[in-house]
Amino acid sequence: MRPVRLMKVFITRRIPPEGIAALTRAADCEVEQWDSDEPIPDKELERGLAGAHGLLCLLSDRVDKRLLDAAGANLKVISTLSVGVDHLALDEIKKRGIRVGYTPDVLTDTTAELAMSLLLTTCRGGWTTWKPLWMCGYGLTQSTVGIIGLGRIGQAIARRLKPFGVQRYLYTGRQPRPEEAAEFQAEFVSVPQLAAQSDFIVVACSLTPATRGLCNKDFFQKMKKTAVFVNISRGDVVNQDDLYQALASGQIAAAGLDVTTPEPLPTNHPLLTLKNCVILPHIGSATYRTRNTMSLLAANNLLAGLRGEPMPSELKL
């Protein structure tokens, strides 16, 4: 009887227990893992991936042509423990016939909850001695909220905003989404209109060539001086230098960021000096249940791809 040929799998970081358990149980896989919570050095990643059939990576792992060349011809599947795929050189991956798995849907509610907490935190004022307007900010009741990207997460945020008495919803994106917008009676508008008319703006879009740097000096100049800006999508959607100037000059009231470029921000970054800017360390999906679910989905995507089966969540290239 011929021995079963094991498929080599490389994991770039420690991952939650449900995912690693699924992979180590797989009798047809030989699993190697970078056993650390810290990012894997480039040279170690190239060494570990050499000859591998499958890669399970994180959002912080850049998979480019150089790394794919180092991997070699065996690589058939890349499974990323993320919804975003802007760290993957998709054109190069497609050219090589490599399948890609990702983890949509499972973090929608968790990220929407985080967006709400960031929005509510950011819209209040600073701490000084008591006075009639002490710590006053801007409320959601009877406000206009603009959402950039009315996808799964954008809709989940809008749904959670309903009990706060928001008067009007605006949204923008690649195209109108009338069926999804009907639930909130949301109006499809241009990016400049959304910037000018919104009291609160939440960025929930994917990072694409079209959205990279979308929120820039021109965008912030169109916003109301009392407006609050929140980004839970990707740091590169925002020009951070322009955001700093808008906040420091009082062009806009406040900002809340769960994502930045880079992550984490250097401790001497100008945004960290501002009292009207709340910054979180990209924790939109950070609950035990969500991260474990993501981990298991990423593992199952990888195993299905290696076995030539349909993935639970495959990115169609």
Side-chain angles (χ1 to χ4, degrees), residues 76-305:
K76 302 300 179 190
V77 185
I78 296 171
S79 179
T80 180
L81 195 120
S82 64
V83 176
V85 292
D86 45 280
H87 57 304
L88 306 179
L90 295 179
D91 289 342
E92 191 67 31
I93 289 168
K94 181 179 180 180
K95 192 188 304 180
R96 298 171 190 237
I98 298 169
R99 297 172 68 184
V100 175
Y102 69 134
T103 60
D105 299 320
V106 296
L107 51 71
T108 298
D109 290 331
T110 308
T111 306
E113 289 171 8
L114 190 280
M116 288 299 305
S117 65
L118 191 54
L119 187 62
L120 292 169
T121 300
T122 306
C123 71
R124 288 297 189 264
W127 193 348
T128 64
T129 56
W130 195 93
K131 47 187 174 285
L133 295 180
W134 181 55
M135 297 187 80
C136 284
Y138 302 96
L140 288 161
T141 304
Q142 297 184 328
S143 68
T144 295
V145 173
I147 299 175
I148 300 178
L150 197 65
R152 290 181 293 264
I153 293 174
Q155 292 169 54
I157 293 168
R159 208 165 283 127
R160 284 161 174 75
L161 282 167
K162 275 186 168 183
F164 288 89
V166 171
Q167 188 171 62
R168 186 183 179 210
Y169 294 92
L170 307 176
Y171 76 101
T172 192
R174 285 177 300 211
Q175 59 191 18
R177 308 188 67 168
E179 291 184 13
E180 293 85 349
E183 179 182 348
F184 320 105
Q185 297 180 304
E187 306 166 43
F188 182 76
V189 296
S190 67
V191 172
Q193 285 177 302
L194 184 140
Q197 297 177 31
S198 300
D199 299 303
F200 299 90
I201 294 174
V202 182
V203 183
C205 60
S206 302
L207 177 62
T208 67
T211 61
R212 187 179 296 275
L214 177 69
C215 301
N216 55 19
K217 180 178 180 180
D218 185 58
F219 180 92
F220 296 124
Q221 285 180 339
K222 287 181 171 62
M223 286 176 61
K224 300 176 181 180
K225 288 187 179 295
T226 56
V228 172
F229 176 84
V230 168
N231 183 18
I232 50 89
S233 62
R234 288 290 179 268
D236 282 336
V237 175
V238 178
N239 183 312
Q240 289 179 170
D241 292 337
D242 292 348
L243 176 60
Y244 171 79
Q245 292 300 328
L247 290 166
S249 66
Q251 179 67 49
I252 66 174
L257 310 174
D258 185 43
V259 288
T260 59
T261 303
E263 293 177 353
L265 279 182
T267 55
N268 62 349
H269 196 282
L271 282 172
L272 294 172
T273 68
L274 298 173
K275 293 183 178 180
N276 57 344
C277 187
V278 177
I279 300 177
L280 301 179
H282 200 159
I283 54 172
S285 64
T287 66
Y288 290 111
R289 176 183 293 179
T290 297
R291 292 282 170 85
N292 259 306
T293 303
M294 290 172 68
S295 174
L296 182 58
L297 179 55
N300 287 335
N301 282 337
L302 187 67
L303 292 172

Side-chain angles (χ1 to χ4, degrees), residues 46-60:
E46 290 178 17
R47 182 202 59 76
L49 192 57
H53 300 82
L55 169 67
L56 196 157
C57 64
L58 277 61
L59 188 64
S60 55

